[in-house]
Amino acid sequence: MNRAILFITKDNINPLSGGIDRITYVLATELRRNGCACFSAYLSQSHPLRIGDAVFDQETELAEDKHDEEVVNLIELHKIDVIIVQGVDALMNKELISLRKVLNTQTREIPLLFVFHQMPGYELVSIDNKFLIDHLFSGLSVKEILLQILLRISKKNVLKSLRNKYIVPYQNADRVILLSRLYIDDFCKIVGNSDTSKYLAIPNMLTFPHSDVIPSKKERIVLMVARMDEQAKRIKRAIEIWSKLPMEFGKDEWRMVIVGNGKDLTYYKNFVKSRDIKNVSFEGQQDPLPYYQAASIFMMTSAFEGWPMTLMEAMQNGCVPIVFDSFKAVYDIIENGKDGIIVPDGNKDAYLNNLVQLMQNAEQRKLMSEACVERSQQFSQERITKMWLKLFENVCKLVANVS
């Protein structure tokens, strides 16, 4: 059955961006291919408007003073069947509450879905006991470090605030979609109850078209694709691991290539230069696809992730990942030892040893590269879209029975 889907996002959708923008755009594209009409409403315009884009039938900025009126107009004009709120922060929680109030005035029951695009409890990662030790001499400013000290002192208040934030989707959405089934219990614990009936796990889908990679053509490149943000991505840790490689790898012409931009990029460049770390290049913001296709190994050292698109994109293109288990969903994505390597979080020696072994063994890289491509198809656009269509069918039946 064809349905009209309204996506609500913080900013207008830019398909060239990563994260929520890209995921929303690709999902809408696939839903249209399956007969759905897709509409976009956003709270602010942060990107240039696109001309002639046929993915969304209409894109609307929700003016604060006319918010409820514009939402009602969209619902009535386009006969919206399902509303999806794409969010993770307090602003989108506020939007969720507003939408629930609007929907309560409607004569027709419309399912309201909230997608939580992060690892539950990610806010607490930066105030653990190791934070200051790991980051005191990183790219963080004195202001940011002092903020973390204050957060640690007031951790009880942080936990209370966190519960207040997480309970909003539970109370206002008909379904809360998490990126992994392994996140459901964590979300429940923060909310403070054991009711799992509102939660469902749907992972992000692949965003690149299907690719037939020839692993034998891979170059001796160790790749990172990430936002240059030390607090979240811990790029410094990856560079430190690289710096400890035995000297013979320089002779073998292995290179570390880092793609991405962000506030800590200059710090990383200075860190590499001041320590004379060899064979490291910073590419800035680039289309990552050619880099995935060329690289043999993908490094991820993040402090936390939800469902990292860069990891899936690397695997889709036969780039073998080595990842810290700093987020539970990594065990959904990688079968350790077959299509990637999972290292206990923080164990830099184990990470280095696995990196060295993989760099030394071309046959292992080839086998794992082929396995990566195969594994990634579990998250194909077709397969994940079917999960969304099934959700729409079930939740529409649910609200119809309630009414």
Side-chain angles (χ1 to χ4, degrees), residues 199-261:
Y199 304 107
L200 184 74
I202 300 181
N204 289 334
M205 66 177 67
L206 298 173
T207 59
F208 290 136
H210 179 69
S211 173
D212 293 317
V213 175
I214 304 174
S216 61
K217 292 189 177 181
K218 289 288 187 177
E219 299 176 31
R220 291 179 174 180
I221 295 173
V222 175
L223 177 67
M224 293 196 79
V225 179
R227 183 175 72 256
M228 299 295 104
D229 179 351
E230 183 61 17
Q231 186 171 348
K233 303 303 181 181
R234 300 191 304 199
I235 308 294
K236 178 185 173 185
R237 186 167 298 192
I239 296 172
E240 288 174 336
I241 291 170
W242 174 264
S243 70
K244 294 178 181 178
L245 284 170
M247 290 296 294
E248 60 262 26
F249 288 107
K251 297 175 184 177
D252 288 342
E253 297 180 352
W254 277 93
R255 296 181 291 129
M256 182 182 195
V257 176
I258 302 175
V259 176
N261 206 347

Short mmCIF file of all heavy atoms in Angstrom, two decimals, residues 199-261:
data_model
loop_
_atom_site.label_atom_id
_atom_site.label_comp_id
_atom_site.label_asym_id
_atom_site.label_seq_id
_atom_site.Cartn_x
_atom_site.Cartn_y
_atom_site.Cartn_z
N TYR A 199 10.00 0.03 21.50
CA TYR A 199 11.30 0.12 20.83
C TYR A 199 11.42 -0.90 19.71
O TYR A 199 10.94 -2.03 19.80
CB TYR A 199 12.44 -0.07 21.83
CG TYR A 199 12.38 0.90 22.98
CD1 TYR A 199 12.01 0.46 24.25
CD2 TYR A 199 12.67 2.24 22.81
CE1 TYR A 199 11.93 1.36 25.32
CE2 TYR A 199 12.60 3.14 23.86
CZ TYR A 199 12.22 2.69 25.11
OH TYR A 199 12.15 3.57 26.15
N LEU A 200 12.11 -0.47 18.66
CA LEU A 200 12.38 -1.33 17.51
C LEU A 200 13.75 -0.96 16.96
O LEU A 200 14.14 0.20 16.99
CB LEU A 200 11.31 -1.12 16.44
CG LEU A 200 11.38 -2.00 15.19
CD1 LEU A 200 10.92 -3.40 15.55
CD2 LEU A 200 10.49 -1.43 14.09
N ALA A 201 14.48 -1.95 16.49
CA ALA A 201 15.81 -1.69 15.92
C ALA A 201 15.77 -1.80 14.41
O ALA A 201 15.35 -2.82 13.87
CB ALA A 201 16.83 -2.67 16.49
N ILE A 202 16.19 -0.72 13.74
CA ILE A 202 16.39 -0.72 12.29
C ILE A 202 17.74 -0.06 12.03
O ILE A 202 17.91 1.13 12.33
CB ILE A 202 15.28 0.02 11.54
CG1 ILE A 202 13.92 -0.61 11.80
CG2 ILE A 202 15.58 0.02 10.04
CD1 ILE A 202 12.78 0.06 11.05
N PRO A 203 18.70 -0.78 11.49
CA PRO A 203 20.02 -0.17 11.25
C PRO A 203 19.99 0.77 10.06
O PRO A 203 19.06 0.76 9.24
CB PRO A 203 20.91 -1.39 10.95
CG PRO A 203 19.97 -2.41 10.39
CD PRO A 203 18.66 -2.20 11.10
N ASN A 204 21.02 1.60 9.97
CA ASN A 204 21.19 2.43 8.78
C ASN A 204 21.48 1.54 7.57
O ASN A 204 22.11 0.48 7.71
CB ASN A 204 22.33 3.42 8.97
CG ASN A 204 21.99 4.52 9.95
OD1 ASN A 204 20.82 4.86 10.12
ND2 ASN A 204 23.01 5.09 10.58
N MET A 205 21.06 1.99 6.41
CA MET A 205 21.31 1.24 5.18
C MET A 205 22.57 1.76 4.49
O MET A 205 23.06 2.86 4.80
CB MET A 205 20.12 1.35 4.24
CG MET A 205 19.88 2.74 3.70
SD MET A 205 18.50 2.81 2.50
CE MET A 205 17.09 2.42 3.54
N LEU A 206 23.10 0.98 3.58
CA LEU A 206 24.21 1.43 2.75
C LEU A 206 23.77 2.63 1.92
O LEU A 206 22.64 2.69 1.45
CB LEU A 206 24.67 0.31 1.82
CG LEU A 206 25.20 -0.97 2.48
CD1 LEU A 206 25.46 -2.04 1.43
CD2 LEU A 206 26.47 -0.69 3.26
N THR A 207 24.66 3.58 1.76
CA THR A 207 24.30 4.77 0.99
C THR A 207 24.94 4.81 -0.39
O THR A 207 24.53 5.59 -1.24
CB THR A 207 24.72 6.04 1.76
OG1 THR A 207 26.13 6.02 1.99
CG2 THR A 207 24.00 6.13 3.10
N PHE A 208 25.95 3.96 -0.63
CA PHE A 208 26.55 3.87 -1.96
C PHE A 208 25.85 2.78 -2.77
O PHE A 208 25.38 1.79 -2.20
CB PHE A 208 28.04 3.54 -1.88
CG PHE A 208 28.89 4.66 -1.34
CD1 PHE A 208 29.88 4.41 -0.40
CD2 PHE A 208 28.71 5.97 -1.76
CE1 PHE A 208 30.67 5.42 0.10
CE2 PHE A 208 29.50 6.99 -1.27
CZ PHE A 208 30.48 6.72 -0.34
N PRO A 209 25.81 2.91 -4.09
CA PRO A 209 25.31 1.82 -4.93
C PRO A 209 26.16 0.58 -4.74
O PRO A 209 27.31 0.66 -4.30
CB PRO A 209 25.45 2.38 -6.35
CG PRO A 209 25.55 3.86 -6.19
CD PRO A 209 26.22 4.09 -4.87
N HIS A 210 25.61 -0.57 -5.09
CA HIS A 210 26.36 -1.83 -4.98
C HIS A 210 27.65 -1.74 -5.78
O HIS A 210 27.69 -1.25 -6.91
CB HIS A 210 25.52 -3.00 -5.48
CG HIS A 210 26.23 -4.31 -5.40
ND1 HIS A 210 26.52 -4.92 -4.20
CD2 HIS A 210 26.73 -5.11 -6.37
CE1 HIS A 210 27.16 -6.06 -4.44
NE2 HIS A 210 27.30 -6.19 -5.75
N SER A 211 28.75 -2.21 -5.16
CA SER A 211 30.07 -2.10 -5.79
C SER A 211 30.74 -3.46 -5.87
O SER A 211 30.80 -4.19 -4.88
CB SER A 211 30.94 -1.14 -4.98
OG SER A 211 32.26 -1.12 -5.45
N ASP A 212 31.23 -3.80 -7.05
CA ASP A 212 32.01 -5.04 -7.22
C ASP A 212 33.49 -4.69 -7.12
O ASP A 212 34.13 -4.33 -8.11
CB ASP A 212 31.71 -5.69 -8.57
CG ASP A 212 30.28 -6.19 -8.64
OD1 ASP A 212 29.82 -6.78 -7.65
OD2 ASP A 212 29.62 -5.98 -9.68
N VAL A 213 34.02 -4.80 -5.91
CA VAL A 213 35.41 -4.43 -5.66
C VAL A 213 36.33 -5.59 -6.01
O VAL A 213 36.01 -6.75 -5.75
CB VAL A 213 35.60 -4.04 -4.18
CG1 VAL A 213 37.06 -3.76 -3.87
CG2 VAL A 213 34.77 -2.82 -3.85
N ILE A 214 37.47 -5.28 -6.62
CA ILE A 214 38.49 -6.30 -6.88
C ILE A 214 39.60 -6.11 -5.84
O ILE A 214 40.45 -5.22 -5.97
CB ILE A 214 39.06 -6.16 -8.30
CG1 ILE A 214 37.93 -6.22 -9.33
CG2 ILE A 214 40.11 -7.23 -8.57
CD1 ILE A 214 38.37 -5.95 -10.75
N PRO A 215 39.60 -6.90 -4.75
CA PRO A 215 40.55 -6.69 -3.66
C PRO A 215 42.01 -6.69 -4.08
O PRO A 215 42.84 -6.03 -3.47
CB PRO A 215 40.24 -7.85 -2.71
CG PRO A 215 38.82 -8.21 -3.00
CD PRO A 215 38.66 -7.99 -4.47
N SER A 216 42.35 -7.41 -5.13
CA SER A 216 43.75 -7.49 -5.54
C SER A 216 44.29 -6.14 -6.02
O SER A 216 45.50 -5.94 -6.10
CB SER A 216 43.91 -8.53 -6.65
OG SER A 216 43.14 -8.17 -7.78
N LYS A 217 43.41 -5.23 -6.35
CA LYS A 217 43.82 -3.91 -6.82
C LYS A 217 43.95 -2.88 -5.70
O LYS A 217 44.18 -1.71 -5.96
CB LYS A 217 42.84 -3.40 -7.88
CG LYS A 217 42.89 -4.19 -9.19
CD LYS A 217 42.06 -3.52 -10.26
CE LYS A 217 42.18 -4.28 -11.58
NZ LYS A 217 41.39 -3.63 -12.67
N LYS A 218 43.81 -3.33 -4.48
CA LYS A 218 43.92 -2.42 -3.34
C LYS A 218 45.36 -1.92 -3.17
O LYS A 218 46.32 -2.64 -3.45
CB LYS A 218 43.48 -3.13 -2.06
CG LYS A 218 41.98 -3.40 -1.97
CD LYS A 218 41.24 -2.11 -1.73
CE LYS A 218 39.78 -2.36 -1.45
NZ LYS A 218 39.06 -1.11 -1.14
N GLU A 219 45.48 -0.68 -2.70
CA GLU A 219 46.80 -0.09 -2.46
C GLU A 219 47.18 -0.22 -0.98
O GLU A 219 46.33 -0.55 -0.14
CB GLU A 219 46.78 1.39 -2.87
CG GLU A 219 46.47 1.61 -4.34
CD GLU A 219 46.36 3.09 -4.68
OE1 GLU A 219 47.05 3.90 -4.01
OE2 GLU A 219 45.59 3.44 -5.59
N ARG A 220 48.45 0.06 -0.69
CA ARG A 220 48.94 -0.04 0.69
C ARG A 220 48.60 1.25 1.44
O ARG A 220 49.47 2.05 1.77
CB ARG A 220 50.44 -0.32 0.70
CG ARG A 220 50.76 -1.72 0.18
CD ARG A 220 52.24 -1.99 0.18
NE ARG A 220 52.52 -3.37 -0.17
CZ ARG A 220 53.73 -3.90 -0.25
NH1 ARG A 220 54.79 -3.15 -0.01
NH2 ARG A 220 53.90 -5.17 -0.58
N ILE A 221 47.31 1.39 1.70
CA ILE A 221 46.79 2.59 2.37
C ILE A 221 45.98 2.16 3.58
O ILE A 221 45.12 1.28 3.50
CB ILE A 221 45.90 3.41 1.42
CG1 ILE A 221 46.72 3.98 0.25
CG2 ILE A 221 45.20 4.54 2.17
CD1 ILE A 221 45.87 4.67 -0.80
N VAL A 222 46.27 2.80 4.71
CA VAL A 222 45.45 2.68 5.91
C VAL A 222 44.64 3.97 6.00
O VAL A 222 45.20 5.06 6.07
CB VAL A 222 46.31 2.49 7.17
CG1 VAL A 222 45.44 2.49 8.42
CG2 VAL A 222 47.10 1.18 7.08
N LEU A 223 43.33 3.84 5.99
CA LEU A 223 42.43 4.98 5.81
C LEU A 223 41.65 5.30 7.08
O LEU A 223 41.23 4.40 7.81
CB LEU A 223 41.45 4.67 4.68
CG LEU A 223 40.37 5.71 4.37
CD1 LEU A 223 40.99 6.99 3.81
CD2 LEU A 223 39.34 5.12 3.38
N MET A 224 41.46 6.60 7.32
CA MET A 224 40.47 7.07 8.28
C MET A 224 39.58 8.09 7.57
O MET A 224 40.08 8.95 6.85
CB MET A 224 41.13 7.74 9.49
CG MET A 224 41.93 6.82 10.38
SD MET A 224 42.29 7.57 12.00
CE MET A 224 40.69 7.30 12.82
N VAL A 225 38.28 7.97 7.78
CA VAL A 225 37.32 8.96 7.29
C VAL A 225 36.48 9.37 8.49
O VAL A 225 35.74 8.55 9.04
CB VAL A 225 36.43 8.40 6.17
CG1 VAL A 225 35.43 9.45 5.70
CG2 VAL A 225 37.26 7.90 5.00
N ALA A 226 36.62 10.63 8.90
CA ALA A 226 35.94 11.04 10.13
C ALA A 226 35.91 12.55 10.25
O ALA A 226 36.67 13.27 9.58
CB ALA A 226 36.65 10.45 11.36
N ARG A 227 35.02 13.02 11.11
CA ARG A 227 35.04 14.42 11.50
C ARG A 227 36.25 14.65 12.41
O ARG A 227 36.54 13.83 13.28
CB ARG A 227 33.75 14.75 12.25
CG ARG A 227 33.59 16.21 12.67
CD ARG A 227 32.23 16.45 13.30
NE ARG A 227 32.11 15.87 14.64
CZ ARG A 227 31.45 14.77 14.93
NH1 ARG A 227 30.84 14.09 13.97
NH2 ARG A 227 31.38 14.31 16.15
N MET A 228 36.96 15.74 12.19
CA MET A 228 38.17 16.00 12.98
C MET A 228 37.77 16.57 14.34
O MET A 228 37.82 17.77 14.60
CB MET A 228 39.10 16.95 12.24
CG MET A 228 39.60 16.43 10.89
SD MET A 228 40.66 14.97 11.01
CE MET A 228 39.52 13.68 10.48
N ASP A 229 37.37 15.67 15.23
CA ASP A 229 36.85 16.02 16.56
C ASP A 229 37.41 15.02 17.56
O ASP A 229 36.97 13.87 17.61
CB ASP A 229 35.32 15.98 16.53
CG ASP A 229 34.68 16.29 17.87
OD1 ASP A 229 35.40 16.39 18.88
OD2 ASP A 229 33.44 16.44 17.92
N GLU A 230 38.39 15.45 18.34
CA GLU A 230 39.10 14.52 19.22
C GLU A 230 38.19 13.92 20.29
O GLU A 230 38.32 12.75 20.63
CB GLU A 230 40.28 15.24 19.89
CG GLU A 230 41.13 14.35 20.79
CD GLU A 230 41.78 13.18 20.06
OE1 GLU A 230 41.86 13.21 18.82
OE2 GLU A 230 42.20 12.23 20.74
N GLN A 231 37.29 14.71 20.81
CA GLN A 231 36.43 14.21 21.89
C GLN A 231 35.60 13.01 21.44
O GLN A 231 35.43 12.06 22.20
CB GLN A 231 35.50 15.32 22.38
CG GLN A 231 34.68 14.94 23.60
CD GLN A 231 33.94 16.12 24.19
OE1 GLN A 231 34.19 17.26 23.85
NE2 GLN A 231 33.03 15.85 25.10
N ALA A 232 35.10 13.04 20.22
CA ALA A 232 34.26 11.96 19.72
C ALA A 232 35.04 10.91 18.94
O ALA A 232 34.81 9.70 19.10
CB ALA A 232 33.15 12.53 18.84
N LYS A 233 35.99 11.33 18.09
CA LYS A 233 36.61 10.42 17.12
C LYS A 233 37.99 9.91 17.53
O LYS A 233 38.48 8.93 16.96
CB LYS A 233 36.70 11.10 15.76
CG LYS A 233 35.35 11.57 15.21
CD LYS A 233 34.35 10.44 15.12
CE LYS A 233 33.01 10.92 14.56
NZ LYS A 233 32.00 9.82 14.48
N ARG A 234 38.65 10.58 18.46
CA ARG A 234 39.96 10.14 18.99
C ARG A 234 40.97 9.85 17.87
O ARG A 234 41.66 8.82 17.87
CB ARG A 234 39.78 8.91 19.90
CG ARG A 234 38.89 9.16 21.09
CD ARG A 234 38.92 8.07 22.13
NE ARG A 234 38.59 6.75 21.65
CZ ARG A 234 38.21 5.74 22.44
NH1 ARG A 234 38.07 5.94 23.75
NH2 ARG A 234 37.95 4.56 21.95
N ILE A 235 41.08 10.76 16.94
CA ILE A 235 42.02 10.61 15.83
C ILE A 235 43.46 10.56 16.35
O ILE A 235 44.31 9.85 15.79
CB ILE A 235 41.87 11.77 14.83
CG1 ILE A 235 40.41 11.93 14.39
CG2 ILE A 235 42.78 11.56 13.62
CD1 ILE A 235 39.85 10.80 13.62
N LYS A 236 43.74 11.31 17.40
CA LYS A 236 45.09 11.32 17.97
C LYS A 236 45.52 9.91 18.36
O LYS A 236 46.68 9.52 18.17
CB LYS A 236 45.14 12.24 19.19
CG LYS A 236 46.49 12.28 19.89
CD LYS A 236 46.43 13.11 21.16
CE LYS A 236 47.72 13.02 21.96
NZ LYS A 236 47.60 13.75 23.25
N ARG A 237 44.60 9.14 18.89
CA ARG A 237 44.91 7.77 19.31
C ARG A 237 45.32 6.93 18.09
O ARG A 237 46.26 6.13 18.18
CB ARG A 237 43.70 7.16 20.00
CG ARG A 237 43.95 5.79 20.59
CD ARG A 237 42.83 5.37 21.52
NE ARG A 237 42.71 6.28 22.66
CZ ARG A 237 41.98 6.02 23.74
NH1 ARG A 237 41.30 4.90 23.83
NH2 ARG A 237 41.91 6.90 24.73
N ALA A 238 44.63 7.13 16.98
CA ALA A 238 44.98 6.39 15.76
C ALA A 238 46.36 6.79 15.26
O ALA A 238 47.16 5.94 14.84
CB ALA A 238 43.93 6.63 14.68
N ILE A 239 46.65 8.08 15.30
CA ILE A 239 47.97 8.56 14.85
C ILE A 239 49.07 8.01 15.74
O ILE A 239 50.15 7.63 15.26
CB ILE A 239 47.99 10.10 14.82
CG1 ILE A 239 46.98 10.63 13.79
CG2 ILE A 239 49.39 10.61 14.48
CD1 ILE A 239 46.79 12.13 13.83
N GLU A 240 48.83 7.96 17.05
CA GLU A 240 49.82 7.40 17.98
C GLU A 240 50.09 5.93 17.68
O GLU A 240 51.23 5.48 17.73
CB GLU A 240 49.32 7.58 19.42
CG GLU A 240 49.36 9.01 19.91
CD GLU A 240 48.73 9.19 21.28
OE1 GLU A 240 47.87 8.35 21.66
OE2 GLU A 240 49.09 10.15 21.98
N ILE A 241 49.02 5.20 17.38
CA ILE A 241 49.20 3.78 17.02
C ILE A 241 50.02 3.67 15.75
O ILE A 241 50.96 2.86 15.66
CB ILE A 241 47.82 3.11 16.86
CG1 ILE A 241 47.11 3.00 18.22
CG2 ILE A 241 47.96 1.71 16.23
CD1 ILE A 241 45.66 2.58 18.13
N TRP A 242 49.70 4.48 14.76
CA TRP A 242 50.45 4.48 13.50
C TRP A 242 51.93 4.78 13.74
O TRP A 242 52.81 4.16 13.13
CB TRP A 242 49.85 5.49 12.54
CG TRP A 242 50.62 5.67 11.27
CD1 TRP A 242 51.55 6.63 11.00
CD2 TRP A 242 50.55 4.85 10.10
NE1 TRP A 242 52.06 6.47 9.73
CE2 TRP A 242 51.46 5.38 9.15
CE3 TRP A 242 49.79 3.73 9.75
CZ2 TRP A 242 51.63 4.82 7.90
CZ3 TRP A 242 49.97 3.18 8.49
CH2 TRP A 242 50.88 3.71 7.58
N SER A 243 52.21 5.71 14.63
CA SER A 243 53.59 6.14 14.87
C SER A 243 54.45 5.04 15.47
O SER A 243 55.69 5.11 15.42
CB SER A 243 53.62 7.36 15.80
OG SER A 243 53.24 7.00 17.12
N LYS A 244 53.82 4.01 16.03
CA LYS A 244 54.56 2.93 16.67
C LYS A 244 54.81 1.75 15.75
O LYS A 244 55.37 0.73 16.17
CB LYS A 244 53.80 2.46 17.92
CG LYS A 244 53.74 3.53 19.01
CD LYS A 244 52.95 3.05 20.22
CE LYS A 244 52.87 4.13 21.29
NZ LYS A 244 52.06 3.71 22.46
N LEU A 245 54.41 1.88 14.49
CA LEU A 245 54.65 0.79 13.53
C LEU A 245 56.15 0.57 13.35
O LEU A 245 56.93 1.52 13.35
CB LEU A 245 54.04 1.11 12.17
CG LEU A 245 52.52 0.98 12.05
CD1 LEU A 245 52.06 1.56 10.73
CD2 LEU A 245 52.09 -0.47 12.18
N PRO A 246 56.58 -0.68 13.18
CA PRO A 246 57.99 -0.95 12.90
C PRO A 246 58.46 -0.22 11.65
O PRO A 246 57.69 0.05 10.73
CB PRO A 246 58.02 -2.47 12.67
CG PRO A 246 56.82 -2.99 13.41
CD PRO A 246 55.79 -1.92 13.28
N MET A 247 59.73 0.12 11.60
CA MET A 247 60.29 0.95 10.53
C MET A 247 60.12 0.35 9.14
O MET A 247 60.00 1.08 8.16
CB MET A 247 61.79 1.18 10.80
CG MET A 247 62.07 2.09 11.98
SD MET A 247 61.46 3.77 11.71
CE MET A 247 62.54 4.28 10.37
N GLU A 248 60.06 -0.97 9.04
CA GLU A 248 60.03 -1.59 7.71
C GLU A 248 58.77 -1.24 6.92
O GLU A 248 58.73 -1.34 5.70
CB GLU A 248 60.15 -3.11 7.81
CG GLU A 248 59.05 -3.81 8.60
CD GLU A 248 59.49 -4.09 10.03
OE1 GLU A 248 60.37 -3.37 10.52
OE2 GLU A 248 58.95 -5.04 10.62
N PHE A 249 57.73 -0.80 7.60
CA PHE A 249 56.51 -0.47 6.87
C PHE A 249 56.68 0.80 6.05
O PHE A 249 56.01 1.02 5.06
CB PHE A 249 55.33 -0.35 7.83
CG PHE A 249 54.88 -1.70 8.36
CD1 PHE A 249 55.14 -2.07 9.66
CD2 PHE A 249 54.24 -2.59 7.53
CE1 PHE A 249 54.75 -3.30 10.13
CE2 PHE A 249 53.84 -3.84 8.00
CZ PHE A 249 54.11 -4.19 9.30
N GLY A 250 57.57 1.69 6.48
CA GLY A 250 57.89 2.87 5.69
C GLY A 250 58.54 2.48 4.38
O GLY A 250 58.24 3.04 3.33
N LYS A 251 59.39 1.48 4.45
CA LYS A 251 60.07 1.01 3.24
C LYS A 251 59.10 0.32 2.29
O LYS A 251 59.30 0.30 1.08
CB LYS A 251 61.19 0.05 3.63
CG LYS A 251 62.30 0.71 4.47
CD LYS A 251 63.32 -0.33 4.91
CE LYS A 251 64.37 0.28 5.83
NZ LYS A 251 65.33 -0.72 6.34
N ASP A 252 58.06 -0.27 2.85
CA ASP A 252 57.06 -0.96 2.04
C ASP A 252 56.01 0.00 1.46
O ASP A 252 55.05 -0.44 0.85
CB ASP A 252 56.35 -2.03 2.88
CG ASP A 252 57.27 -3.22 3.15
OD1 ASP A 252 58.27 -3.36 2.43
OD2 ASP A 252 56.97 -3.98 4.08
N GLU A 253 56.22 1.28 1.72
CA GLU A 253 55.37 2.33 1.14
C GLU A 253 53.92 2.29 1.62
O GLU A 253 53.00 2.67 0.88
CB GLU A 253 55.42 2.28 -0.38
CG GLU A 253 56.82 2.54 -0.95
CD GLU A 253 56.86 2.48 -2.46
OE1 GLU A 253 55.84 2.09 -3.06
OE2 GLU A 253 57.90 2.83 -3.03
N TRP A 254 53.69 1.87 2.85
CA TRP A 254 52.38 2.00 3.45
C TRP A 254 52.16 3.45 3.83
O TRP A 254 53.06 4.13 4.30
CB TRP A 254 52.25 1.11 4.68
CG TRP A 254 51.90 -0.33 4.38
CD1 TRP A 254 52.77 -1.35 4.20
CD2 TRP A 254 50.59 -0.86 4.22
NE1 TRP A 254 52.09 -2.51 3.93
CE2 TRP A 254 50.74 -2.24 3.94
CE3 TRP A 254 49.30 -0.33 4.29
CZ2 TRP A 254 49.65 -3.08 3.73
CZ3 TRP A 254 48.21 -1.17 4.08
CH2 TRP A 254 48.40 -2.53 3.80
N ARG A 255 50.93 3.93 3.64
CA ARG A 255 50.59 5.31 3.98
C ARG A 255 49.33 5.35 4.84
O ARG A 255 48.43 4.51 4.68
CB ARG A 255 50.32 6.14 2.72
CG ARG A 255 51.52 6.31 1.81
CD ARG A 255 51.15 7.18 0.61
NE ARG A 255 50.23 6.51 -0.30
CZ ARG A 255 49.10 7.04 -0.75
NH1 ARG A 255 48.71 8.24 -0.34
NH2 ARG A 255 48.34 6.37 -1.61
N MET A 256 49.28 6.32 5.75
CA MET A 256 48.05 6.60 6.49
C MET A 256 47.40 7.83 5.87
O MET A 256 48.02 8.89 5.80
CB MET A 256 48.34 6.86 7.97
CG MET A 256 47.10 7.10 8.81
SD MET A 256 47.50 7.47 10.54
CE MET A 256 45.88 7.24 11.30
N VAL A 257 46.16 7.68 5.42
CA VAL A 257 45.44 8.76 4.77
C VAL A 257 44.22 9.11 5.62
O VAL A 257 43.42 8.23 5.94
CB VAL A 257 45.00 8.36 3.34
CG1 VAL A 257 44.16 9.47 2.71
CG2 VAL A 257 46.23 8.06 2.48
N ILE A 258 44.10 10.40 5.97
CA ILE A 258 43.01 10.85 6.84
C ILE A 258 42.13 11.83 6.07
O ILE A 258 42.61 12.88 5.63
CB ILE A 258 43.56 11.51 8.12
CG1 ILE A 258 44.45 10.51 8.88
CG2 ILE A 258 42.43 12.01 9.01
CD1 ILE A 258 45.15 11.10 10.09
N VAL A 259 40.86 11.47 5.90
CA VAL A 259 39.91 12.27 5.14
C VAL A 259 38.88 12.86 6.09
O VAL A 259 38.29 12.14 6.91
CB VAL A 259 39.20 11.42 4.07
CG1 VAL A 259 38.13 12.24 3.34
CG2 VAL A 259 40.20 10.86 3.07
N GLY A 260 38.66 14.17 6.00
CA GLY A 260 37.65 14.82 6.83
C GLY A 260 38.11 16.18 7.30
O GLY A 260 39.29 16.53 7.20
N ASN A 261 37.16 16.94 7.81
CA ASN A 261 37.45 18.28 8.29
C ASN A 261 36.85 18.44 9.68
O ASN A 261 36.07 17.62 10.14
CB ASN A 261 36.86 19.32 7.34
CG ASN A 261 37.61 20.64 7.38
OD1 ASN A 261 38.41 20.88 8.29
ND2 ASN A 261 37.35 21.50 6.41
#
